[in-house]
Amino acid sequence: MILVTGGAGFIGSSLVDYLLKKDYKVVCIDNFNDYYDPLIKRNNLRNAIKNNNFQLIEGDIRDEELLNNLGQRYKIEMIIHLAAMAGVRPSIEMPLLYQDVNIKGTMNLLEFARQNQINKFIFASSSSVYGNNKKVPFNEKDIVDFAISPYAATKKAGEVLLHTYHHLYDINCIALRFFTVYGPRQRPDLAIHKFTKLILEDKEIPFYGNGTTQRDYTYIDDIIEGIVNSMDYLENKKNVFEIINLGESETISLKKMVQTIADSLQIDAKLKKLPMQLGDVEKTYADINKAKNLINYNPSTNFEKGINQFINWYKSENGYI
């Protein structure tokens, strides 16, 4: 049985659906917080909850009693820890909440793994740990001691905690550094989702800086492939502690991202130009050679195709089709 934390979210629910199709038994923990509309998350699980191999636990990873009860009820063999307070900018406004959820919550899960002899643990880290790294593409061996947001700092802390529990208790761990994930079910606060909505509504989109900031956008199906291949790796290897980038290894500027969405919608975008935001990095760019060699990761969705697929989903979900 697989425990997926944050399993009602964008990445979590996509993973849950994939695992259920492969006949895994899945327990999902989600607290359905109001960072964005909880009804969206419930809708993400509309197919999963019909499956007899799926169990939903509504609760918080900071709740030690909940985790203790979970350990008594289910024989869990692997933890895939996706739950977190997300977002760079909100973490600057609420740093103590991010510390509590992302660091204490991760520590609780590692303790839960130790106490219940669960020796396979996958953690969702983030490309944000690289900060404004001048060397590109970003490599897992790069020093990541210069976070520029509390969110990034909590993700780096999570990686360090994983290493500690691997060293002390032989828990096999993989930390996956996700690079700007997008696609169907993407959170509404993220740029591609937000910009699509605003363009369709003929409203201005917030355009920070001069449009030259760059991101390595990674399509959701490629991220799921990376997680599943990491699961296989943990099943077949011993004494594992790895940090692995999951990206497309291609950079897209803010200007190109907006234009690609506008071209797909066949609607001109109206820009509201704003200064750069605190905590925003200038560029993310993944070196994925380790992922290719270690877990046979081969991302296959280019940006234009991924945007078209996201927009088709968005229109379908919101009554445009």
Side-chain angles (χ1 to χ4, degrees), residues 154-172:
T154 66
K155 287 299 184 180
K156 167 67 184 298
E159 295 179 356
V160 175
L161 288 171
L162 256 67
H163 184 269
T164 303
Y165 273 71
H166 168 70
H167 173 74
L168 291 174
Y169 307 116
D170 297 320
I171 297 175
N172 295 304

Side-chain angles (χ1 to χ4, degrees), residues 1 27 55-57 69-76 116:
M1 182 166 273
V27 179
Q55 298 292 328
L56 173 61
I57 308 295
N69 291 336
L70 192 69
Q72 293 168 12
R73 290 173 61 191
Y74 301 105
K75 177 59 178 173
I76 293 165
N116 290 275

